[in-house]
Amino acid sequence: MSLSAFHRLLLALCWLPLAALADGSLSAEREQELETLLYQDCGSCHGMTLRGGLGPPLPRSRMNAFDRDGLAALILHGVPGTAMPSWAGLLSEQEARWLADHLQHDTPLDE
Ligand code: HEC
């Protein structure tokens, strides 16, 4: 017996990870994933402790020279002509804002 397309859709929706909560904030689970992404994926260029590598270091002091939305836009769109890629395919605007906020306030590096 095969499932109708509608039932497949319903099933697929049930399995969507709970990324955003009703009030527009991110789930604790998604925040944890974003933190892992920041230190592992972004860290592959910016260093696992964000001290720099192929990409520059990302200390809080420097990150606060950007406003949060500008920083989120930079993350989403990348820096054309450099190795800094666009993350728009992987991250929502809300998630990029969360990363920007995290970079400005919550990373260990501040120099
Ligand atoms: C493939 C390597 C690479 C990856 C992966 C990468 N970046 Fe970058 N990033 C760069 C490079 C190179 C620059 C410098 C661009 C330039 O010359 O202005 C940069 C610049 C930046 C800047 C601006 C820094 C400044 O002082 O002007 C921020 C913020 C930033 N990246 C955040 C991130 C975040 C957040 C992620 C993960 C979502 C990420 N990057 C992933 C290579 C990378």
Side-chain angles (χ1 to χ4, degrees):
M1 189 186 89
S2 71
L3 289 170
S4 72
F6 179 65
H7 283 107
R8 278 177 201 280
L9 182 66
L10 278 184
L11 272 178
L13 287 176
C14 291
W15 287 102
L16 275 183
L18 186 64
L21 303 178
D23 68 357
S25 63
L26 297 171
S27 68
E29 200 183 355
R30 187 57 180 160
E31 290 187 356
Q32 189 62 55
E33 287 169 4
L34 290 177
E35 204 170 325
T36 303
L37 174 118
L38 180 62
Y39 295 106
Q40 290 186 3
D41 297 59
C42 312
S44 69
C45 284
H46 292 282
M48 298 294 275
T49 52
L50 307 181
R51 281 171 200 283
L54 170 63
L58 304 175
R60 278 181 277 131
S61 53
R62 163 88 190 146
M63 296 298 93
N64 279 291
F66 297 87
D67 68 46
R68 188 195 61 169
D69 289 350
L71 193 56
L74 187 156
I75 294 167
L76 272 187
H77 303 300
V79 183
T82 76
M84 173 63 186
S86 159
W87 291 84
L90 286 171
L91 300 172
S92 69
E93 283 184 23
Q94 185 192 12
E95 289 167 346
R97 277 198 300 272
W98 187 89
L99 283 173
D101 195 59
H102 194 81
L103 282 167
Q104 289 182 322
H105 304 292
D106 297 324
T107 63
L109 187 62
D110 184 23
E111 57 196 27

